[in-house]
Amino acid sequence: MDFAPVTDEEVTLLLARAGTGRRVLDVGCGTGALAAALADAGFTVTGIDFSAAALAAAEDRHGHRTDLAFRLLDIEHGGLTSLPAGGFDLITCRLFLPFIDLLPFTACARHLLAPGGTLHITTPVDDRPPDGGRSIALRTADLDLLRTFPWQSTAEYPLGSLLCLALTL
């Protein structure tokens, strides 16, 4: 079972902010649930993750599809540089941003987005420091940092206990 299942409501709300392009990069795709939902909606999706086990599960579940591909990439150690500049109309990041260095990732994501493309983030937000570990939540200061980049537009909306942030070039 996945940690936080992708819901129909989540996909519907994301699609309303996805723009017109059809090329998607799902960063931190895990077992591929969001990537598959976006492919079902007519997108061509590349899902990337650093976990070979998660990608093996994604391949088992969705590997038969021609509109969906999975790649093993370590995004913190140069993996994103192997992807085409301006090659994606939508980049999705679901429930993993607190575990990486936000500034270099965001700069690289902007480089990978086509003009008018959107970086879509789904995350819990919690300003309380974690007890002895890393939190799965972004802090308000992290969200403020994301907003400091020069975006054409930004939009936020709640998704249950999560916050979604759509940042468009």
Side-chain angles (χ1 to χ4, degrees):
M1 175 171 271
D2 292 321
F3 168 70
V6 174
T7 65
D8 290 341
E9 176 188 18
E10 179 177 355
V11 174
T12 299
L13 290 170
L14 190 158
L15 291 175
R17 289 151 182 89
T20 59
R22 306 316 279 169
R23 302 165 299 164
V24 177
L25 178 65
D26 185 16
V27 182
C29 69
T31 59
L34 180 59
L38 291 170
D40 288 344
F43 292 88
T44 300
V45 183
T46 301
I48 62 172
D49 205 294
F50 76 99
S51 169
L55 288 176
E59 285 287 347
D60 285 345
R61 293 178 185 179
H62 313 290
H64 62 282
R65 300 183 68 148
T66 59
D67 52 359
L68 183 53
F70 296 103
R71 291 182 58 185
L72 182 66
L73 288 177
D74 185 343
I75 64 170
E76 287 213 288
H77 295 99
L80 291 177
T81 61
S82 66
L83 299 171
F88 300 96
D89 304 301
L90 174 65
I91 297 176
T92 58
C93 305
R94 185 178 190 272
L95 306 178
F96 85 95
L97 278 183
F99 300 103
I100 63 169
D101 193 342
L102 201 53
L103 279 176
F105 169 76
T106 305
C108 192
R110 288 173 51 83
H111 180 71
L112 296 174
L113 282 170
T118 299
L119 173 61
H120 190 277
I121 297 162
T122 304
T123 186
V125 178
D126 189 351
D127 286 319
R128 295 171 294 170
D131 294 331
R134 295 176 92 174
S135 172
I136 193 170
L138 285 177
R139 299 178 325 256
T140 302
D142 297 325
L143 296 173
D144 291 342
L145 181 65
L146 287 167
R147 293 181 195 105
T148 64
F149 284 85
W151 302 103
Q152 183 71 23
S153 67
T154 63
E156 295 181 18
Y157 60 96
L159 179 67
S161 63
L162 303 173
L163 175 71
C164 298
L165 183 63
L167 306 164
T168 302
L169 279 180

